[in-house]
Amino acid sequence: MESEQQMSKQLREFQEHLKKSKKIVALVGAGLSVSSGLPTFRGSQGLWKNFNMIDLATPDAFYIDPGLVWQFYSWRRVSALKARPNRGHLALSKLSNLSSNRDNGKKVDYITITQNVDGLSSRSNHCKDNLYEIHGSLFNLKCTSFMCNYVDRNNFKHPLTKALADTEDEYEKKNRKRTLEEIEQQDLSISPQFKPVVQLTESDLPQCPVCKDGSLLRPGVVWFGESLPLNVITKIDNFIESETPVDLVLVIGTSGTVYPANSYVDRIKLKGGKVAIFNTDIEEDILQGKVKDTWGFRGDAAELLPVALEPLIGEI
Ligand code: BV8
């Protein structure tokens, strides 16, 4: 167990470095959204009904049973719509706005790289041009036809189709269109985890409005086995590889198991950057300060970030 003084020594050292940092990156994972009520991908939370989430986040799963995968993503959409950004999101949002209006005297270049598709960072008033959603968003839809490049961005519509409303109807008896506010008011206490998946046909699912041959729409997320959006990756590479090195990478609520997201931390460390990990699960050596250029803060990222970043962002 790290002692109180060990923690405060780490915090003091970290904040000294934070105040001197000119270039900062945050790598965000599912753990940041836990205190907003959204489950992580691994461990016991990584299940939806009796499916492993990772098995559903693949092109093959969608090809084999688009109705099943769409019910999974409908549940994810409704859960994310119901969730609100937490103080951890707000802390990063303040940091992002610090670097965008550079005339405030605090010269810091900053980007958030988020693996999360829940849209909570963009709903936390995060500066748009330094937020990189490398795995896409639950609220973008795109056509599955290779011949069509239709994309529907920021689609918060609920339900997307009547049949999918049915799956989402596990939350509410009435099957009608609702505003975001109405969704936020509703009671999500009845978990859909135990109701059986219904068999849906393609005609029950979102269709591309442009394609004549009625192609299916899919969630605008990056599935396992798919490449990340090249334009986003290039911007991140340029930020990390430019001649001014990154001084500090904040590794927040991620198990670091997903490539290529997990490669950024080593690349920054290789160029002399220091690492600060915010996670409920941290190796003892890091907590004891025994790992070079690495600080570890064990706890809920939503609680830790506002405290740790306070010297730069002030009070939230
Ligand atoms: C690609 C969108 C190449 C969908 C997601 C074998 C070995 C190594 C790599 C591979 C391999 N086989 C395949 C690969 C590559 C693969 C991969 O990494 N697989 C993993 C499973 C091994 N990667 C890919 O396929 C990527 N593409 O490589 O392309 C390519 C090139 C050209 C052409 C074709 C292909 C694409 C990966 C993107 C997958 N899509 N999301 C969706 O969300 O539905 S990733 C998905 O996983 C989510 O985005 C999520 O963010 C991520 C899970 O990672 P974490 O965020 O870290 O979440 P996790 O649950 O794991 O951990 C949560 C952490 O939070 C824990 O550490 C926990 O302790 C902590 N925590 C909990 N509570 C709190 C907390 N921390 C703080 N506070 C708390 N309160």
Side-chain angles (χ1 to χ4, degrees):
M1 262 312 256
E2 88 275 13
S3 59
E4 274 315 300
Q5 56 263 42
Q6 184 65 33
M7 173 78 157
S8 54
K9 177 171 176 292
Q10 291 233 29
L11 186 60
R12 250 190 337 274
E13 285 175 6
F14 164 76
Q15 290 183 328
E16 277 317 305
H17 185 70
L18 176 74
K19 286 183 284 193
K20 288 184 297 197
S21 294
K22 294 277 165 263
K23 218 168 156 182
I24 302 173
V25 171
L27 175 67
V28 167
L32 179 61
S33 297
V34 163
S35 88
S36 295
L38 298 181
T40 61
F41 266 70
R42 280 161 186 82
S44 58
Q45 302 178 39
L47 297 172
W48 172 71
K49 297 190 188 288
N50 54 358
F51 297 94
N52 183 326
M53 288 202 214
I54 295 195
D55 299 337
L56 295 173
T58 68
D60 289 354
F62 189 78
Y63 177 74
I64 293 164
D65 188 347
L68 168 69
V69 174
W70 258 120
Q71 290 173 72
F72 169 56
Y73 280 96
S74 286
W75 171 67
R76 301 270 303 280
R77 284 169 59 92
V78 178
S79 310
L81 283 169
K82 161 89 182 97
R84 290 173 186 280
N86 61 51
R87 288 164 46 77
H89 294 107
L90 297 179
L92 296 184
S93 159
K94 274 197 89 174
L95 194 47
S96 77
N97 287 297
L98 251 192
S99 75
S100 55
N101 46 13
R102 305 282 295 267
D103 52 1
N104 57 21
K106 285 187 181 166
K107 295 277 164 276
V108 64
D109 250 347
Y110 170 77
I111 62 171
T112 295
I113 304 169
T114 184
Q115 302 172 87
N116 300 342
V117 295
D118 56 34
L120 289 181
S121 285
S122 57
R123 278 171 56 195
S124 66
N125 190 28
H126 193 296
C127 177
K128 292 278 169 276
D129 57 23
N130 51 11
L131 171 61
Y132 296 120
E133 294 177 316
I134 57 171
H135 294 157
S137 166
L138 292 168
F139 303 104
N140 295 339
L141 309 177
K142 61 185 191 181
C143 183
T144 52
S145 163
F146 286 112
M147 318 299 284
C148 174
N149 51 14
Y150 175 78
V151 178
D152 180 5
R153 292 191 191 289
N154 298 318
N155 175 324
F156 297 101
K157 211 168 69 184
H158 170 77
L160 285 173
T161 68
K162 179 152 177 25
L164 290 178
D166 188 40
T167 43
E168 291 147 14
D169 201 30
E170 289 156 8
Y171 300 102
E172 186 185 7
K173 292 294 141 274
K174 292 176 289 310
N175 188 1
R176 58 185 175 76
K177 291 191 183 4
R178 281 168 296 156
T179 61
L180 201 50
E181 287 62 44
E182 284 175 325
I183 291 170
E184 284 170 346
Q185 253 84 55
Q186 73 187 7
D187 164 24
L188 269 190
S189 58
I190 324 130
S191 156
Q193 301 284 333
F194 308 110
K195 283 189 82 172
V197 178
V198 293
Q199 204 50 46
L200 298 181
T201 63
E202 293 208 2
S203 58
D204 294 318
L205 304 175
Q207 308 281 329
C208 175
V210 172
C211 283
K212 297 285 166 287
D213 58 2
S215 306
L216 274 185
L217 290 180
R218 56 164 280 186
V221 299
V222 178
W223 280 326
F224 290 102
E226 294 185 321
S227 51
L228 276 61
L230 201 56
N231 59 327
V232 174
I233 298 306
T234 310
K235 285 183 195 156
I236 295 171
D237 286 347
N238 293 342
F239 189 85
I240 291 177
E241 301 304 337
S242 72
E243 79 259 29
T244 325
V246 174
D247 303 298
L248 174 63
V249 55
L250 311 170
V251 185
I252 304 162
T254 180
S255 61
T257 44
V258 177
Y259 174 82
N262 56 9
S263 63
Y264 292 125
V265 181
D266 292 339
R267 284 170 57 186
I268 289 169
K269 220 173 161 179
L270 269 175
K271 291 170 70 91
K274 294 190 190 295
V275 180
I277 301 172
F278 299 84
N279 199 307
T280 42
D281 172 17
I282 300 191
E283 293 157 38
E284 274 312 311
D285 277 0
I286 294 176
L287 293 173
Q288 306 295 334
K290 291 178 187 156
V291 177
K292 188 171 171 308
D293 295 336
T294 304
W295 296 283
F297 302 101
R298 178 155 56 192
D300 177 4
E303 297 309 317
L304 292 170
L305 287 174
V307 172
L309 301 179
E310 200 267 338
L312 268 196
I313 63 173
E315 285 276 311
I316 294 196

